[in-house]
Coordinates of all heavy atoms in Angstrom, one line a residue:
V1 N -37.4 47.1 44.7 CA -37.5 46.0 45.6 C -38.6 46.1 46.6 O -39.3 45.1 47.0 CB -36.1 45.9 46.4 CG1 -36.1 44.8 47.5 CG2 -35.0 45.6 45.4
L2 N -38.7 47.2 47.1 CA -39.9 47.5 48.1 C -41.3 47.5 47.5 O -42.3 47.4 48.2 CB -39.6 48.8 48.9 CG -38.5 48.8 49.8 CD1 -38.2 50.2 50.4 CD2 -38.7 47.8 50.9
A3 N -41.3 47.4 46.2 CA -42.7 47.4 45.5 C -43.2 45.9 45.6 O -44.5 45.8 45.6 CB -42.5 47.7 44.0
D4 N -42.4 45.0 45.9 CA -42.8 43.6 46.2 C -43.3 43.5 47.6 O -42.6 43.7 48.5 CB -41.7 42.6 46.0 CG -42.1 41.1 46.1 OD1 -43.3 40.9 46.0 OD2 -41.2 40.3 46.3
L5 N -44.6 43.0 47.7 CA -45.3 43.0 49.0 C -44.6 42.0 50.0 O -44.4 42.4 51.1 CB -46.8 42.6 48.9 CG -47.5 42.5 50.2 CD1 -47.7 43.8 50.9 CD2 -48.9 41.9 49.9
Q6 N -44.2 40.9 49.5 CA -43.6 39.9 50.4 C -42.2 40.4 51.0 O -42.0 40.2 52.1 CB -43.4 38.6 49.7 CG -44.6 37.8 49.4 CD -44.3 36.5 48.7 OE1 -43.3 36.3 48.1 NE2 -45.3 35.6 48.7
F7 N -41.4 41.0 50.1 CA -40.2 41.6 50.6 C -40.4 42.8 51.5 O -39.7 42.9 52.5 CB -39.3 42.1 49.4 CG -38.0 42.6 49.8 CD1 -36.9 41.8 50.2 CD2 -37.8 43.9 50.1 CE1 -35.8 42.2 50.6 CE2 -36.5 44.4 50.5 CZ -35.6 43.6 50.8
R8 N -41.4 43.6 51.2 CA -41.7 44.7 52.1 C -42.1 44.2 53.5 O -41.7 44.7 54.5 CB -42.8 45.5 51.5 CG -43.0 46.9 52.2 CD -43.9 47.8 51.4 NE -45.2 47.2 50.9 CZ -45.6 47.3 49.6 NH1 -44.9 47.9 48.7 NH2 -46.7 46.7 49.3
L9 N -43.0 43.1 53.6 CA -43.4 42.6 54.9 C -42.1 42.0 55.6 O -42.0 42.2 56.8 CB -44.4 41.6 54.7 CG -45.8 42.1 54.3 CD1 -46.8 40.9 54.0 CD2 -46.4 42.9 55.3
L10 N -41.2 41.3 54.9 CA -40.1 40.7 55.5 C -39.2 41.8 56.0 O -38.6 41.7 57.1 CB -39.4 39.9 54.5 CG -38.1 39.1 54.9 CD1 -38.5 38.1 56.0 CD2 -37.4 38.5 53.9
F11 N -39.0 42.9 55.2 CA -38.2 44.0 55.6 C -38.7 44.7 56.9 O -38.0 45.0 57.8 CB -38.1 45.0 54.5 CG -37.2 46.2 54.7 CD1 -35.8 46.0 54.6 CD2 -37.7 47.5 54.9 CE1 -35.0 47.0 54.9 CE2 -36.8 48.5 55.0 CZ -35.4 48.3 55.0
V12 N -40.0 44.9 57.0 CA -40.7 45.5 58.1 C -40.5 44.7 59.3 O -40.1 45.2 60.5 CB -42.1 46.0 57.8 CG1 -42.9 46.4 59.1 CG2 -42.2 47.0 56.8
T13 N -40.8 43.4 59.2 CA -40.7 42.5 60.4 C -39.2 42.4 60.9 O -39.0 42.3 62.0 CB -41.2 41.1 60.1 OG1 -40.5 40.5 58.9 CG2 -42.7 41.1 59.8
R14 N -38.3 42.5 59.9 CA -36.8 42.4 60.3 C -36.5 43.7 61.0 O -35.7 43.6 62.1 CB -36.0 42.2 59.1 CG -34.6 42.0 59.4 CD -34.4 40.7 60.1 NE -32.9 40.6 60.6 CZ -32.5 40.0 61.7 NH1 -33.4 39.4 62.4 NH2 -31.3 39.9 61.9
I15 N -37.0 44.9 60.6 CA -36.6 46.1 61.3 C -37.2 46.0 62.7 O -36.6 46.4 63.7 CB -37.3 47.3 60.5 CG1 -36.4 47.5 59.3 CG2 -37.3 48.5 61.4 CD1 -37.0 48.6 58.4
L16 N -38.5 45.5 62.8 CA -39.1 45.4 64.2 C -38.4 44.5 65.1 O -38.2 44.7 66.2 CB -40.6 45.0 64.0 CG -41.5 45.9 63.4 CD1 -42.9 45.4 63.2 CD2 -41.6 47.2 64.3
T17 N -37.8 43.3 64.5 CA -37.1 42.3 65.2 C -35.8 42.9 65.8 O -35.4 42.7 67.0 CB -36.9 41.1 64.4 OG1 -38.1 40.6 64.0 CG2 -36.2 40.0 65.3
V18 N -35.1 43.5 64.9 CA -33.8 44.1 65.3 C -34.1 45.2 66.4 O -33.3 45.3 67.4 CB -33.0 44.7 64.1 CG1 -31.8 45.5 64.5 CG2 -32.6 43.6 63.2
S19 N -35.1 46.0 66.3 CA -35.4 47.1 67.2 C -35.8 46.4 68.6 O -35.3 46.9 69.6 CB -36.5 48.0 66.7 OG -36.1 48.6 65.5
A20 N -36.6 45.4 68.6 CA -37.0 44.7 69.8 C -35.8 44.0 70.5 O -35.7 44.1 71.7 CB -38.1 43.7 69.4
D21 N -34.9 43.4 69.7 CA -33.8 42.8 70.3 C -32.9 43.9 71.0 O -32.3 43.6 72.1 CB -33.0 42.0 69.3 CG -33.5 40.7 69.0 OD1 -34.3 40.2 69.8 OD2 -33.1 40.1 68.0
S22 N -32.7 44.9 70.3 CA -31.8 46.0 70.9 C -32.5 46.5 72.1 O -31.7 46.7 73.2 CB -31.6 47.2 69.9 OG -31.0 46.7 68.7
L23 N -33.7 46.8 72.1 CA -34.4 47.3 73.3 C -34.4 46.3 74.4 O -34.2 46.7 75.6 CB -35.9 47.6 72.9 CG -36.7 48.3 74.0 CD1 -36.1 49.6 74.4 CD2 -38.1 48.5 73.5
R24 N -34.5 45.0 74.1 CA -34.5 44.0 75.1 C -33.1 43.9 75.8 O -33.1 43.8 77.0 CB -34.8 42.6 74.5 CG -34.7 41.4 75.4 CD -34.8 40.1 74.7 NE -34.0 39.9 73.5 CZ -32.8 39.4 73.6 NH1 -32.2 39.1 74.7 NH2 -32.1 39.2 72.4
I25 N -32.1 44.0 75.0 CA -30.7 43.9 75.6 C -30.4 45.1 76.4 O -29.9 45.0 77.5 CB -29.7 43.8 74.4 CG1 -29.8 42.4 73.8 CG2 -28.3 43.9 75.0 CD1 -29.0 42.2 72.6
V26 N -30.8 46.3 76.0 CA -30.5 47.5 76.8 C -31.3 47.5 78.0 O -30.9 47.9 79.1 CB -30.8 48.8 75.9 CG1 -30.9 50.0 76.8 CG2 -29.8 48.9 74.8
T27 N -32.6 47.0 77.9 CA -33.6 47.0 79.2 C -33.0 46.0 80.1 O -33.0 46.3 81.4 CB -34.9 46.6 78.7 OG1 -35.4 47.6 77.8 CG2 -35.9 46.7 79.9
L28 N -32.6 44.8 79.7 CA -32.1 43.8 80.6 C -30.8 44.4 81.3 O -30.7 44.2 82.6 CB -31.8 42.5 79.9 CG -31.3 41.4 80.7 CD1 -32.3 40.9 81.7 CD2 -30.9 40.2 79.8
S29 N -29.9 45.0 80.6 CA -28.7 45.4 81.2 C -29.0 46.6 82.2 O -28.3 46.7 83.2 CB -27.6 45.8 80.2 OG -28.1 46.9 79.4
T30 N -29.9 47.4 81.9 CA -30.3 48.5 82.7 C -30.9 47.9 84.0 O -30.6 48.4 85.1 CB -31.3 49.4 82.1 OG1 -30.7 49.9 80.8 CG2 -31.7 50.6 82.9
L31 N -31.8 46.9 83.9 CA -32.4 46.4 85.1 C -31.3 45.6 86.0 O -31.4 45.7 87.2 CB -33.5 45.3 84.6 CG -34.8 45.9 84.1 CD1 -35.7 44.8 83.6 CD2 -35.5 46.7 85.2

């Protein structure tokens, strides 16, 4: 599955999005 470039890009962007959302929520609640 990860050999497909389009899926690999989608997978990486999804990981970055979930990480950014989690960081945003934690940062906002901390502030």
Side-chain angles (χ1 to χ4, degrees):
V1 172
L2 291 174
D4 183 18
L5 178 64
Q6 289 181 340
F7 183 82
R8 192 169 44 231
L9 289 174
L10 183 64
F11 186 71
V12 168
T13 56
R14 187 66 186 147
I15 287 174
L16 290 174
T17 301
V18 169
S19 301
D21 277 346
S22 300
L23 185 61
R24 175 185 52 85
I25 291 170
V26 169
T27 303
L28 182 63
S29 61
T30 303
L31 287 173

